[in-house]
Short mmCIF file of all heavy atoms in Angstrom, two decimals:
data_model
loop_
_atom_site.label_atom_id
_atom_site.label_comp_id
_atom_site.label_asym_id
_atom_site.label_seq_id
_atom_site.Cartn_x
_atom_site.Cartn_y
_atom_site.Cartn_z
N LEU A 4 44.13 50.14 -49.63
CA LEU A 4 44.22 51.31 -50.51
C LEU A 4 44.85 52.44 -49.71
O LEU A 4 44.40 52.75 -48.60
CB LEU A 4 42.81 51.73 -50.97
CG LEU A 4 42.69 53.08 -51.69
CD1 LEU A 4 43.35 53.03 -53.07
CD2 LEU A 4 41.22 53.50 -51.84
N GLY A 5 45.92 53.03 -50.24
CA GLY A 5 46.57 54.16 -49.57
C GLY A 5 46.27 55.44 -50.32
O GLY A 5 46.18 55.45 -51.56
N ILE A 6 46.12 56.53 -49.57
CA ILE A 6 45.86 57.84 -50.19
C ILE A 6 46.78 58.88 -49.55
O ILE A 6 46.91 58.94 -48.32
CB ILE A 6 44.37 58.25 -50.02
CG1 ILE A 6 43.47 57.26 -50.81
CG2 ILE A 6 44.13 59.68 -50.52
CD1 ILE A 6 41.99 57.52 -50.69
N GLU A 7 47.42 59.69 -50.40
CA GLU A 7 48.39 60.68 -49.91
C GLU A 7 48.15 62.01 -50.64
O GLU A 7 48.29 62.07 -51.87
CB GLU A 7 49.81 60.14 -50.17
CG GLU A 7 50.93 61.16 -50.23
CD GLU A 7 51.16 61.92 -48.95
OE1 GLU A 7 51.22 61.29 -47.88
OE2 GLU A 7 51.26 63.16 -49.01
N THR A 8 47.77 63.02 -49.89
CA THR A 8 47.57 64.36 -50.49
C THR A 8 48.09 65.44 -49.54
O THR A 8 47.48 66.50 -49.43
CB THR A 8 46.06 64.64 -50.77
OG1 THR A 8 45.35 64.60 -49.52
CG2 THR A 8 45.45 63.67 -51.74
N SER A 9 49.22 65.18 -48.86
CA SER A 9 49.63 66.14 -47.83
C SER A 9 50.25 67.41 -48.40
O SER A 9 50.28 68.45 -47.75
CB SER A 9 50.60 65.50 -46.85
OG SER A 9 51.81 65.19 -47.50
N CYS A 10 50.79 67.32 -49.63
CA CYS A 10 51.44 68.51 -50.19
C CYS A 10 51.07 68.66 -51.66
O CYS A 10 49.91 68.93 -51.97
CB CYS A 10 52.94 68.41 -49.97
SG CYS A 10 53.82 69.93 -50.32
N ASP A 11 52.02 68.45 -52.57
CA ASP A 11 51.70 68.69 -53.98
C ASP A 11 51.71 67.44 -54.84
O ASP A 11 51.76 67.55 -56.07
CB ASP A 11 52.64 69.76 -54.57
CG ASP A 11 54.10 69.37 -54.50
OD1 ASP A 11 54.43 68.43 -53.77
OD2 ASP A 11 54.92 70.01 -55.18
N GLU A 12 51.69 66.26 -54.23
CA GLU A 12 51.53 65.03 -55.02
C GLU A 12 50.18 64.44 -54.65
O GLU A 12 49.89 64.25 -53.46
CB GLU A 12 52.62 63.98 -54.70
CG GLU A 12 54.03 64.49 -54.58
CD GLU A 12 54.63 64.97 -55.90
OE1 GLU A 12 53.99 64.80 -56.95
OE2 GLU A 12 55.73 65.54 -55.85
N CYS A 13 49.38 64.12 -55.68
CA CYS A 13 48.10 63.48 -55.43
C CYS A 13 48.32 62.00 -55.75
O CYS A 13 48.54 61.63 -56.90
CB CYS A 13 47.05 64.09 -56.36
SG CYS A 13 45.38 63.53 -55.99
N SER A 14 48.31 61.17 -54.71
CA SER A 14 48.73 59.79 -54.92
C SER A 14 47.77 58.79 -54.29
O SER A 14 47.21 59.02 -53.22
CB SER A 14 50.15 59.62 -54.36
OG SER A 14 50.60 58.30 -54.53
N ALA A 15 47.60 57.66 -55.00
CA ALA A 15 46.81 56.54 -54.46
C ALA A 15 47.54 55.26 -54.83
O ALA A 15 48.15 55.17 -55.91
CB ALA A 15 45.40 56.54 -55.04
N ALA A 16 47.52 54.29 -53.92
CA ALA A 16 48.27 53.05 -54.15
C ALA A 16 47.50 51.88 -53.57
O ALA A 16 46.70 52.04 -52.65
CB ALA A 16 49.64 53.14 -53.48
N VAL A 17 47.78 50.71 -54.13
CA VAL A 17 47.21 49.49 -53.55
C VAL A 17 48.39 48.61 -53.15
O VAL A 17 49.29 48.35 -53.96
CB VAL A 17 46.30 48.76 -54.57
CG1 VAL A 17 45.71 47.51 -53.93
CG2 VAL A 17 45.19 49.68 -55.05
N VAL A 18 48.40 48.21 -51.88
CA VAL A 18 49.53 47.44 -51.33
C VAL A 18 49.00 46.20 -50.63
O VAL A 18 48.03 46.27 -49.87
CB VAL A 18 50.38 48.32 -50.36
CG1 VAL A 18 51.46 47.50 -49.67
CG2 VAL A 18 51.02 49.48 -51.12
N LYS A 19 49.66 45.07 -50.89
CA LYS A 19 49.22 43.81 -50.29
C LYS A 19 50.09 43.49 -49.07
O LYS A 19 51.33 43.54 -49.14
CB LYS A 19 49.36 42.69 -51.34
CG LYS A 19 48.78 41.40 -50.89
CD LYS A 19 48.79 40.37 -52.00
CE LYS A 19 48.26 39.08 -51.42
NZ LYS A 19 48.93 37.92 -51.89
N ASP A 20 49.45 43.17 -47.97
CA ASP A 20 50.13 42.76 -46.74
C ASP A 20 51.27 43.70 -46.31
O ASP A 20 52.30 43.26 -45.80
CB ASP A 20 50.67 41.33 -46.88
CG ASP A 20 49.52 40.33 -47.05
OD1 ASP A 20 48.40 40.66 -46.62
OD2 ASP A 20 49.75 39.25 -47.63
N GLY A 21 51.07 44.97 -46.55
CA GLY A 21 52.00 45.97 -46.04
C GLY A 21 53.30 46.10 -46.80
O GLY A 21 54.12 46.98 -46.49
N GLU A 22 53.53 45.26 -47.80
CA GLU A 22 54.84 45.31 -48.47
C GLU A 22 54.80 45.28 -49.98
O GLU A 22 55.62 45.91 -50.64
CB GLU A 22 55.74 44.17 -47.96
CG GLU A 22 56.15 44.37 -46.51
CD GLU A 22 57.18 43.38 -46.02
OE1 GLU A 22 57.53 42.44 -46.77
OE2 GLU A 22 57.63 43.54 -44.87
N LYS A 23 53.88 44.53 -50.53
CA LYS A 23 53.91 44.36 -51.99
C LYS A 23 53.06 45.42 -52.69
O LYS A 23 51.84 45.48 -52.52
CB LYS A 23 53.44 42.96 -52.38
CG LYS A 23 53.49 42.78 -53.88
CD LYS A 23 53.52 41.38 -54.35
CE LYS A 23 53.71 41.43 -55.85
NZ LYS A 23 54.02 40.24 -56.49
N ILE A 24 53.73 46.24 -53.50
CA ILE A 24 53.03 47.31 -54.21
C ILE A 24 52.33 46.73 -55.44
O ILE A 24 52.98 46.21 -56.34
CB ILE A 24 54.02 48.41 -54.67
CG1 ILE A 24 54.75 49.02 -53.47
CG2 ILE A 24 53.30 49.49 -55.47
CD1 ILE A 24 55.85 50.01 -53.86
N LEU A 25 51.00 46.83 -55.47
CA LEU A 25 50.26 46.37 -56.64
C LEU A 25 50.06 47.54 -57.62
O LEU A 25 49.94 47.34 -58.81
CB LEU A 25 48.91 45.77 -56.23
CG LEU A 25 48.99 44.60 -55.22
CD1 LEU A 25 47.60 44.07 -54.91
CD2 LEU A 25 49.87 43.47 -55.76
N SER A 26 50.01 48.74 -57.07
CA SER A 26 49.98 49.94 -57.92
C SER A 26 50.37 51.12 -57.04
O SER A 26 50.21 51.09 -55.82
CB SER A 26 48.58 50.18 -58.50
OG SER A 26 47.68 50.52 -57.46
N ASN A 27 50.92 52.15 -57.67
CA ASN A 27 51.31 53.36 -56.93
C ASN A 27 51.25 54.53 -57.91
O ASN A 27 52.21 54.79 -58.63
CB ASN A 27 52.74 53.18 -56.37
CG ASN A 27 53.14 54.31 -55.43
OD1 ASN A 27 52.28 54.96 -54.83
ND2 ASN A 27 54.44 54.53 -55.30
N VAL A 28 50.11 55.18 -57.95
CA VAL A 28 49.89 56.27 -58.92
C VAL A 28 50.24 57.60 -58.24
O VAL A 28 49.73 57.89 -57.15
CB VAL A 28 48.41 56.29 -59.40
CG1 VAL A 28 48.16 57.46 -60.34
CG2 VAL A 28 48.06 54.96 -60.06
N ILE A 29 51.13 58.36 -58.87
CA ILE A 29 51.53 59.65 -58.30
C ILE A 29 51.29 60.73 -59.35
O ILE A 29 51.97 60.76 -60.38
CB ILE A 29 53.02 59.65 -57.88
CG1 ILE A 29 53.32 58.48 -56.92
CG2 ILE A 29 53.40 60.99 -57.23
CD1 ILE A 29 54.81 58.24 -56.67
N ALA A 30 50.30 61.57 -59.10
CA ALA A 30 50.02 62.68 -60.04
C ALA A 30 50.65 63.93 -59.45
O ALA A 30 50.23 64.41 -58.39
CB ALA A 30 48.51 62.85 -60.19
N THR A 31 51.69 64.41 -60.11
CA THR A 31 52.40 65.56 -59.54
C THR A 31 51.81 66.89 -59.99
O THR A 31 51.38 67.04 -61.14
CB THR A 31 53.90 65.50 -59.87
OG1 THR A 31 54.54 66.61 -59.22
CG2 THR A 31 54.18 65.56 -61.36
N GLN A 32 51.81 67.83 -59.08
CA GLN A 32 51.30 69.18 -59.40
C GLN A 32 52.44 70.14 -59.72
O GLN A 32 52.20 71.34 -59.82
CB GLN A 32 50.53 69.72 -58.20
CG GLN A 32 49.36 68.88 -57.76
CD GLN A 32 48.67 69.49 -56.55
OE1 GLN A 32 49.10 70.51 -56.01
NE2 GLN A 32 47.59 68.88 -56.12
N ILE A 33 53.66 69.61 -59.84
CA ILE A 33 54.83 70.49 -60.00
C ILE A 33 54.64 71.58 -61.06
O ILE A 33 54.92 72.75 -60.78
CB ILE A 33 56.11 69.66 -60.25
CG1 ILE A 33 56.56 69.01 -58.93
CG2 ILE A 33 57.25 70.52 -60.81
CD1 ILE A 33 57.72 68.04 -59.06
N PRO A 34 54.14 71.26 -62.26
CA PRO A 34 54.01 72.33 -63.27
C PRO A 34 53.16 73.51 -62.81
O PRO A 34 53.41 74.65 -63.21
CB PRO A 34 53.34 71.62 -64.45
CG PRO A 34 53.61 70.17 -64.25
CD PRO A 34 53.70 69.96 -62.77
N PHE A 35 52.18 73.24 -61.94
CA PHE A 35 51.31 74.33 -61.47
C PHE A 35 52.00 75.21 -60.43
O PHE A 35 51.74 76.40 -60.34
CB PHE A 35 50.01 73.75 -60.88
CG PHE A 35 49.24 72.95 -61.89
CD1 PHE A 35 49.42 71.58 -61.97
CD2 PHE A 35 48.39 73.57 -62.78
CE1 PHE A 35 48.73 70.83 -62.92
CE2 PHE A 35 47.70 72.85 -63.74
CZ PHE A 35 47.87 71.47 -63.81
N HIS A 36 52.88 74.60 -59.63
CA HIS A 36 53.55 75.36 -58.58
C HIS A 36 54.86 75.98 -59.07
O HIS A 36 55.35 76.94 -58.48
CB HIS A 36 53.80 74.47 -57.36
CG HIS A 36 52.54 73.90 -56.79
ND1 HIS A 36 51.61 74.68 -56.13
CD2 HIS A 36 52.03 72.65 -56.82
CE1 HIS A 36 50.59 73.91 -55.77
NE2 HIS A 36 50.82 72.68 -56.18
N ALA A 37 55.42 75.39 -60.13
CA ALA A 37 56.70 75.89 -60.66
C ALA A 37 56.59 77.36 -61.06
O ALA A 37 57.54 78.13 -60.93
CB ALA A 37 57.14 75.05 -61.85
N LEU A 38 55.40 77.76 -61.51
CA LEU A 38 55.17 79.17 -61.90
C LEU A 38 55.48 80.11 -60.75
O LEU A 38 55.87 81.26 -60.94
CB LEU A 38 53.69 79.36 -62.26
CG LEU A 38 53.12 78.59 -63.43
CD1 LEU A 38 51.60 78.71 -63.43
CD2 LEU A 38 53.69 79.18 -64.71
N TYR A 39 55.28 79.62 -59.52
CA TYR A 39 55.46 80.46 -58.33
C TYR A 39 56.72 80.11 -57.55
O TYR A 39 56.95 80.62 -56.45
CB TYR A 39 54.24 80.32 -57.40
CG TYR A 39 52.93 80.50 -58.13
CD1 TYR A 39 52.21 79.40 -58.58
CD2 TYR A 39 52.45 81.78 -58.39
CE1 TYR A 39 51.02 79.56 -59.27
CE2 TYR A 39 51.26 81.95 -59.09
CZ TYR A 39 50.55 80.83 -59.53
OH TYR A 39 49.38 81.01 -60.22
N ASN A 40 57.51 79.17 -58.07
CA ASN A 40 58.74 78.73 -57.39
C ASN A 40 58.50 78.14 -56.01
O ASN A 40 59.36 78.20 -55.13
CB ASN A 40 59.74 79.88 -57.26
CG ASN A 40 60.60 80.00 -58.50
OD1 ASN A 40 61.08 79.01 -59.02
ND2 ASN A 40 60.77 81.23 -58.97
N GLY A 41 57.33 77.62 -55.78
CA GLY A 41 57.02 77.01 -54.48
C GLY A 41 55.57 76.55 -54.48
O GLY A 41 54.80 76.93 -55.37
N VAL A 42 55.22 75.75 -53.47
CA VAL A 42 53.85 75.22 -53.43
C VAL A 42 52.88 76.30 -52.96
O VAL A 42 53.10 76.93 -51.92
CB VAL A 42 53.77 73.99 -52.48
CG1 VAL A 42 52.35 73.46 -52.39
CG2 VAL A 42 54.71 72.89 -52.95
N VAL A 43 51.82 76.52 -53.73
CA VAL A 43 50.78 77.47 -53.33
C VAL A 43 49.65 76.63 -52.71
O VAL A 43 48.99 75.87 -53.42
CB VAL A 43 50.25 78.28 -54.55
CG1 VAL A 43 49.22 79.30 -54.12
CG2 VAL A 43 51.40 78.93 -55.30
N PRO A 44 49.43 76.74 -51.41
CA PRO A 44 48.48 75.84 -50.74
C PRO A 44 47.09 75.80 -51.37
O PRO A 44 46.50 74.74 -51.53
CB PRO A 44 48.43 76.39 -49.31
CG PRO A 44 49.76 77.03 -49.12
CD PRO A 44 50.11 77.63 -50.46
N GLU A 45 46.58 76.95 -51.76
CA GLU A 45 45.22 76.99 -52.33
C GLU A 45 45.17 76.21 -53.66
O GLU A 45 44.23 75.46 -53.92
CB GLU A 45 44.82 78.47 -52.54
CG GLU A 45 43.48 78.69 -53.18
CD GLU A 45 42.30 78.29 -52.29
OE1 GLU A 45 42.48 78.12 -51.08
OE2 GLU A 45 41.20 78.12 -52.86
N VAL A 46 46.20 76.40 -54.47
CA VAL A 46 46.27 75.67 -55.75
C VAL A 46 46.36 74.17 -55.47
O VAL A 46 45.70 73.35 -56.12
CB VAL A 46 47.50 76.15 -56.58
CG1 VAL A 46 47.68 75.29 -57.83
CG2 VAL A 46 47.35 77.62 -56.96
N ALA A 47 47.19 73.80 -54.48
CA ALA A 47 47.41 72.38 -54.16
C ALA A 47 46.10 71.71 -53.77
O ALA A 47 45.75 70.65 -54.31
CB ALA A 47 48.43 72.25 -53.04
N SER A 48 45.33 72.32 -52.87
CA SER A 48 44.11 71.66 -52.43
C SER A 48 43.07 71.60 -53.54
O SER A 48 42.35 70.60 -53.70
CB SER A 48 43.54 72.28 -51.15
OG SER A 48 43.58 73.66 -51.23
N ARG A 49 43.02 72.62 -54.38
CA ARG A 49 42.06 72.59 -55.50
C ARG A 49 42.40 71.47 -56.48
O ARG A 49 41.52 70.76 -56.97
CB ARG A 49 42.07 73.92 -56.26
CG ARG A 49 41.26 74.98 -55.55
CD ARG A 49 41.48 76.33 -56.22
NE ARG A 49 40.84 77.36 -55.43
CZ ARG A 49 39.71 77.97 -55.78
NH1 ARG A 49 39.10 77.64 -56.89
NH2 ARG A 49 39.20 78.90 -55.00
N LYS A 50 43.69 71.31 -56.78
CA LYS A 50 44.10 70.24 -57.72
C LYS A 50 43.80 68.87 -57.12
O LYS A 50 43.35 67.97 -57.82
CB LYS A 50 45.60 70.35 -58.04
CG LYS A 50 45.94 71.52 -58.93
CD LYS A 50 45.47 71.26 -60.38
CE LYS A 50 45.30 72.56 -61.12
NZ LYS A 50 44.29 72.54 -62.16
N HIS A 51 44.06 68.71 -55.82
CA HIS A 51 43.73 67.42 -55.19
C HIS A 51 42.24 67.12 -55.34
O HIS A 51 41.85 66.01 -55.67
CB HIS A 51 44.10 67.43 -53.70
CG HIS A 51 45.56 67.35 -53.43
ND1 HIS A 51 46.38 66.40 -54.01
CD2 HIS A 51 46.38 68.10 -52.64
CE1 HIS A 51 47.62 66.58 -53.59
NE2 HIS A 51 47.65 67.60 -52.77
N ALA A 52 41.43 68.15 -55.09
CA ALA A 52 39.97 67.95 -55.18
C ALA A 52 39.56 67.56 -56.60
O ALA A 52 38.69 66.72 -56.80
CB ALA A 52 39.25 69.23 -54.74
N GLU A 53 40.22 68.17 -57.60
CA GLU A 53 39.90 67.83 -59.00
C GLU A 53 40.36 66.43 -59.38
O GLU A 53 39.73 65.76 -60.19
CB GLU A 53 40.61 68.82 -59.95
CG GLU A 53 39.99 70.19 -60.01
CD GLU A 53 40.93 71.16 -60.76
OE1 GLU A 53 41.74 70.73 -61.60
OE2 GLU A 53 40.83 72.38 -60.49
N TRP A 54 41.50 66.00 -58.82
CA TRP A 54 42.15 64.78 -59.31
C TRP A 54 41.88 63.52 -58.51
O TRP A 54 42.10 62.41 -59.01
CB TRP A 54 43.67 64.98 -59.34
CG TRP A 54 44.17 65.98 -60.30
CD1 TRP A 54 43.44 66.68 -61.23
CD2 TRP A 54 45.53 66.43 -60.45
NE1 TRP A 54 44.26 67.53 -61.94
CE2 TRP A 54 45.55 67.40 -61.48
CE3 TRP A 54 46.73 66.12 -59.81
CZ2 TRP A 54 46.72 68.04 -61.89
CZ3 TRP A 54 47.89 66.75 -60.22
CH2 TRP A 54 47.88 67.70 -61.25
N ILE A 55 41.49 63.65 -57.25
CA ILE A 55 41.54 62.50 -56.35
C ILE A 55 40.74 61.28 -56.87
O ILE A 55 41.22 60.14 -56.79
CB ILE A 55 41.11 62.90 -54.90
CG1 ILE A 55 41.32 61.76 -53.92
CG2 ILE A 55 39.70 63.41 -54.81
CD1 ILE A 55 42.73 61.46 -53.59
N TYR A 56 39.56 61.54 -57.41
CA TYR A 56 38.75 60.40 -57.87
C TYR A 56 39.47 59.65 -58.99
O TYR A 56 39.60 58.41 -58.96
CB TYR A 56 37.36 60.90 -58.34
CG TYR A 56 36.58 59.81 -59.04
CD1 TYR A 56 36.08 58.72 -58.32
CD2 TYR A 56 36.37 59.84 -60.41
CE1 TYR A 56 35.40 57.69 -58.97
CE2 TYR A 56 35.69 58.83 -61.07
CZ TYR A 56 35.21 57.76 -60.34
OH TYR A 56 34.55 56.74 -60.98
N ALA A 57 39.99 60.40 -59.97
CA ALA A 57 40.67 59.77 -61.12
C ALA A 57 41.92 59.02 -60.67
O ALA A 57 42.24 57.94 -61.18
CB ALA A 57 41.03 60.83 -62.15
N VAL A 58 42.63 59.58 -59.70
CA VAL A 58 43.88 58.96 -59.22
C VAL A 58 43.57 57.64 -58.50
O VAL A 58 44.23 56.62 -58.72
CB VAL A 58 44.67 59.95 -58.32
CG1 VAL A 58 45.80 59.26 -57.57
CG2 VAL A 58 45.24 61.09 -59.17
N VAL A 59 42.54 57.65 -57.66
CA VAL A 59 42.16 56.41 -56.94
C VAL A 59 41.69 55.36 -57.95
O VAL A 59 42.07 54.19 -57.89
CB VAL A 59 41.07 56.70 -55.88
CG1 VAL A 59 40.50 55.40 -55.32
CG2 VAL A 59 41.65 57.55 -54.75
N LYS A 60 40.88 55.80 -58.91
CA LYS A 60 40.36 54.88 -59.92
C LYS A 60 41.51 54.23 -60.70
O LYS A 60 41.54 53.03 -60.92
CB LYS A 60 39.45 55.68 -60.88
CG LYS A 60 38.57 54.84 -61.75
CD LYS A 60 37.45 55.70 -62.32
CE LYS A 60 36.75 55.00 -63.45
NZ LYS A 60 37.40 55.21 -64.75
N GLU A 61 42.49 55.06 -61.05
CA GLU A 61 43.64 54.53 -61.80
C GLU A 61 44.45 53.54 -60.95
O GLU A 61 44.95 52.54 -61.46
CB GLU A 61 44.54 55.69 -62.25
CG GLU A 61 45.59 55.25 -63.26
CD GLU A 61 46.48 56.40 -63.72
OE1 GLU A 61 46.04 57.57 -63.72
OE2 GLU A 61 47.65 56.11 -64.06
N SER A 62 44.54 53.81 -59.65
CA SER A 62 45.31 52.89 -58.80
C SER A 62 44.63 51.53 -58.72
O SER A 62 45.30 50.49 -58.68
CB SER A 62 45.52 53.49 -57.39
OG SER A 62 44.32 53.44 -56.66
N LEU A 63 43.31 51.51 -58.73
CA LEU A 63 42.58 50.23 -58.73
C LEU A 63 42.76 49.52 -60.07
O LEU A 63 43.01 48.31 -60.11
CB LEU A 63 41.08 50.47 -58.46
CG LEU A 63 40.73 51.00 -57.07
CD1 LEU A 63 39.26 51.32 -56.96
CD2 LEU A 63 41.11 49.99 -55.99
#
Side-chain angles (χ1 to χ4, degrees):
L4 169 69
I6 295 178
E7 158 63 47
T8 61
S9 67
C10 191
D11 60 345
E12 316 291 354
C13 188
S14 179
V17 181
V18 174
K19 188 174 177 219
D20 296 336
E22 291 188 355
K23 181 159 185 168
I24 301 174
L25 303 181
S26 67
N27 188 25
V28 177
I29 305 169
T31 183
Q32 301 179 357
I33 285 173
F35 300 94
H36 301 289
L38 298 168
Y39 310 97
N40 274 316
V42 178
V43 183
E45 178 68 17
V46 173
S48 44
R49 280 171 187 254
K50 288 287 158 210
H51 287 309
E53 285 169 25
W54 294 355
I55 187 72
Y56 170 70
V58 168
V59 170
K60 195 163 166 274
E61 191 180 332
S62 74
L63 293 175

